[in-house]
Amino acid sequence: MADSSFDIVSKVERQEVDNALNQTAKEISQRYDFKGVGASISWSGEKILMEANSEDRVKAVLDVFQSKLIKRGISLKALDAGEPQLSGKEYKIFATIEEGISQENAKKVAKIIRDEGPKGVKAQVQGDELRVTSKSRDDLQAIISLLKGKDFDFALQFVNYR
């Protein structure tokens, strides 16, 4: 019998982020508390740019954006938002969407699987993802629940379960 496997990845659906950004822009344009504060949110290359004329307002834009991401099923661990910066008369926040598991994070996850997981389960780093293999599907289910119970500072998804 062949080994069963699954991949651990950290990916974000770009279209869902785009939809959340568009919903945020629409809400900002309609809400009374954002009238006349120059609040906006848009893509700036690969980054997301939020602007307003006060630090509180730009933080409120970020808060609205985060709530839209949550509603669309995107983990906030994938959003890396900076601190508000004063630029001229505007406050700006630049945010990026983190994708992929870094080598050091992949090694941490592999070490947890080795140390705390069932025997006979192998984890190998493949680029920016991690492949977990075992003869037993039950062991793979145990690994998934083990990792879901851990609190990582990056988002994890489990794909290609076969």
Side-chain angles (χ1 to χ4, degrees), residues 43-60:
W43 285 105
S44 173
E46 283 298 305
K47 293 185 175 186
I48 298 166
L49 171 64
M50 292 163 262
E51 296 178 299
N53 65 3
S54 75
E55 188 173 347
D56 291 341
R57 288 293 104 206
V58 78
K59 285 182 178 176

Side-chain angles (χ1 to χ4, degrees), residues 3-153:
D3 286 358
S4 298
S5 69
F6 69 89
D7 294 335
I8 301 173
V9 297
S10 181
K11 295 208 182 322
V12 175
E13 190 71 40
R14 173 76 181 220
Q15 186 62 49
E16 292 295 328
V17 175
D18 218 23
N19 290 342
L21 188 132
N22 291 334
Q23 286 179 338
T24 304
K26 185 174 182 180
E27 184 170 323
I28 289 169
S29 70
Q30 293 174 343
R31 271 183 36 183
Y32 177 75
D33 57 335
F34 285 115
K35 294 281 187 239
V37 296
S40 68
I41 183 169
S42 61
W43 285 105
S44 173
E46 283 298 305
K47 293 185 175 186
I48 298 166
L49 171 64
M50 292 163 262
E51 296 178 299
N53 65 3
S54 75
E55 188 173 347
D56 291 341
R57 288 293 104 206
V58 78
K59 285 182 178 176
V61 172
L62 176 62
D63 193 43
V64 171
F65 183 56
Q66 287 175 335
S67 70
K68 299 298 180 191
L69 287 174
I70 291 170
K71 284 182 184 171
R72 296 211 149 266
I74 296 172
S75 172
L76 291 183
K77 292 177 182 177
L79 180 71
D80 182 24
E83 290 297 312
Q85 301 166 337
L86 184 60
S87 172
K89 292 183 178 180
E90 296 274 305
Y91 280 88
K92 296 181 179 184
I93 294 179
F94 285 100
T96 55
I97 302 295
E98 301 289 323
E99 286 195 296
I101 301 174
S102 69
Q103 289 290 328
E104 64 187 52
N105 287 337
K107 287 178 183 174
K108 282 183 202 171
V109 173
K111 182 169 175 23
I112 289 172
I113 291 171
R114 267 195 322 276
D115 295 347
E116 300 178 30
K119 297 289 178 237
V121 176
K122 296 183 203 74
Q124 62 210 71
V125 179
Q126 295 180 335
D128 60 352
E129 57 186 46
L130 196 67
R131 163 105 6 120
V132 181
T133 57
S134 173
K135 295 213 180 299
S136 165
R137 286 179 165 247
D138 292 341
D139 289 350
L140 293 180
Q141 292 287 348
I143 294 294
I144 289 174
S145 54
L146 169 74
L147 293 177
K148 282 185 176 178
K150 299 286 181 189
D151 186 31
F152 295 106
D153 57 350

